[in-house]
Amino acid sequence: MSDAIFPIEFPPIKSAGVYYFNTSSGLRYEVRFGRRQDNILHSTIVFGVVNDEFDGEEYVTTNRGEVYRVMNTIVAIVKDFIEQHSKVNIFEFHAIDRTDGKDEPHTPENSKNIIKGNARLKLYKRYLPKIFETGWNFNFEGNNAIVTKKH
């Protein structure tokens, strides 16, 4: 497995927290860092494909044989964000891949999304230690991964 990454488009204003990159197959990814209103030191990270071919469905993920390079690029982006925002002490990743934003019970109708979420959670378990090397706690609960800085 290579550590190669795709070229990253960094935000023009460091505090903006929105990064982009394009894959070799032509997919355009957005990686967005949102701050919680109740705690500006808590950042939620959302990423996915934003190409027009997906009918405006934000944060769709695809697998065109580029998953390792995509994840390595996301690792580099999150590391850059951490360097720029060293006071942020909680990072939250949502592994469920759905477009309606709802947390629903597992049903036959949504099982495809649950399976995608579980696959993404497995990727998080593999790649989060590459981002947060020391001094961080990992909590995998349901379809979420929450990383907190050790005190």
Side-chain angles (χ1 to χ4, degrees):
M1 180 172 66
S2 171
D3 288 338
I5 66 170
F6 293 107
I8 299 168
E9 296 172 32
F10 294 89
I13 301 170
K14 296 283 184 193
S15 62
V18 181
Y19 297 72
Y20 294 94
F21 64 93
N22 298 311
T23 68
S24 300
S25 69
L27 295 177
R28 181 162 179 80
Y29 276 80
E30 178 182 77
V31 181
R32 180 178 296 269
F33 296 82
R35 301 286 186 96
R36 299 274 298 255
Q37 284 185 331
D38 62 340
N39 181 359
I40 62 168
L41 300 179
H42 183 150
S43 183
T44 301
I45 302 168
V46 180
F47 66 90
V49 175
V50 293
N51 293 56
D52 288 339
E53 69 186 273
F54 298 104
D55 297 324
E57 297 292 335
E58 285 188 302
Y59 309 118
V60 169
T61 58
T62 65
N63 186 356
R64 295 187 179 173
E66 301 170 317
V67 68
Y68 298 118
R69 196 165 172 196
V70 166
M71 291 305 296
N72 287 335
T73 305
I74 291 167
V75 166
I77 288 170
V78 176
K79 282 185 170 192
D80 180 76
F81 184 86
I82 291 169
E83 185 177 309
Q84 301 301 323
H85 303 86
S86 61
K87 300 288 186 198
V88 174
N89 56 25
I90 302 171
F91 289 90
E92 187 171 347
F93 299 79
H94 296 284
I96 196 144
D97 185 17
R98 63 173 83 249
T99 57
D100 60 11
K102 295 179 183 174
D103 244 353
E104 298 174 4
H106 181 55
T107 65
E109 293 79 27
N110 71 11
S111 64
K112 182 177 175 186
N113 289 333
I114 299 294
I115 291 167
K116 281 184 181 178
N118 289 340
R120 188 177 273 196
L121 192 61
K122 286 179 184 177
L123 276 175
Y124 289 167
K125 286 180 180 179
R126 182 176 187 171
Y127 281 90
L128 290 180
K130 293 181 179 189
I131 299 169
F132 304 96
E133 294 168 3
T134 59
W136 296 87
N137 292 314
F138 300 93
N139 181 20
F140 298 97
E141 188 172 306
N143 291 315
N144 298 318
I146 299 176
V147 183
T148 55
K149 190 177 273 187
K150 292 179 183 177
H151 297 286

